[in-house]
Amino acid sequence: MILIFGGAYQGKKEYAIKNYDIEIEDILTLSEDDRTLPEAPAYENLQKFTLGFAKRGESADKYLKENMELLKDKIVISDDISSGIVPVDTTLRAWREMHGRCLNMLAGEADEVVRVFCGIGSRIK
């Protein structure tokens, strides 16, 4: 697995297309409504996927851990939502914590981890 993360609008998807053998059509955009990971070579908006779990009171980290085999040869793109002001809303705060656990777990399992800032990728694993 390749995990690509960084702030919103920092060029993560464009970085993936430029540096890995994928086309824009290969990247599945996840949403809050997704309850499972459909088959695709790459996923973007992991943060929206985990937000849906938080809003439903479910555990995205548990789902991902149980389905890690699905991500074995994939590219996963996510916003880093760990910076800034901690949300007052309890659901959003729980989401932020859950999403952090998910990124930690995925980074631990990933073959490669890249942080993208201003379109420039820094390989950190």
Side-chain angles (χ1 to χ4, degrees):
M1 173 195 352
I2 299 167
L3 176 62
I4 300 171
F5 75 102
Y9 311 108
Q10 292 298 312
K12 297 178 294 292
K13 178 169 46 176
E14 294 79 7
Y15 178 88
I17 292 167
K18 181 179 176 184
N19 291 280
Y20 301 98
D21 192 24
I22 61 170
E23 303 291 327
I24 195 164
E25 297 83 18
D26 296 328
I27 303 172
L28 178 69
T29 302
L30 297 170
S31 76
E32 294 177 33
D33 297 329
D34 292 315
R35 293 176 175 266
T36 61
L37 291 172
E39 180 58 37
Y43 304 101
E44 70 170 338
N45 285 346
L46 181 69
Q47 74 282 354
K48 298 279 184 167
F49 182 72
T50 60
L51 177 58
F53 276 78
K55 286 183 173 180
R56 293 187 299 271
E58 300 171 357
S59 175
D61 43 333
K62 180 181 176 188
Y63 171 82
L64 291 173
K65 186 175 185 175
E66 291 172 352
N67 293 280
M68 192 60 69
E69 191 63 30
L70 294 172
L71 298 171
K72 183 180 175 186
D73 298 322
K74 310 293 186 197
I75 297 172
V76 179
I77 303 169
S78 179
D79 283 1
D80 177 5
I81 61 167
S82 65
S83 299
I85 298 170
V86 176
V88 174
D89 181 273
T90 56
T91 300
L92 294 181
R93 197 168 51 248
W95 165 54
R96 182 173 156 150
E97 292 173 15
M98 181 191 314
H99 188 70
R101 287 192 305 273
C102 290
L103 288 182
N104 280 328
M105 179 178 50
L106 293 176
E109 295 292 325
D111 300 309
E112 186 174 344
V113 179
V114 178
R115 180 180 190 90
V116 176
F117 182 73
C118 294
I120 300 169
S122 298
R123 188 168 190 247
I124 58 176
K125 177 182 178 184

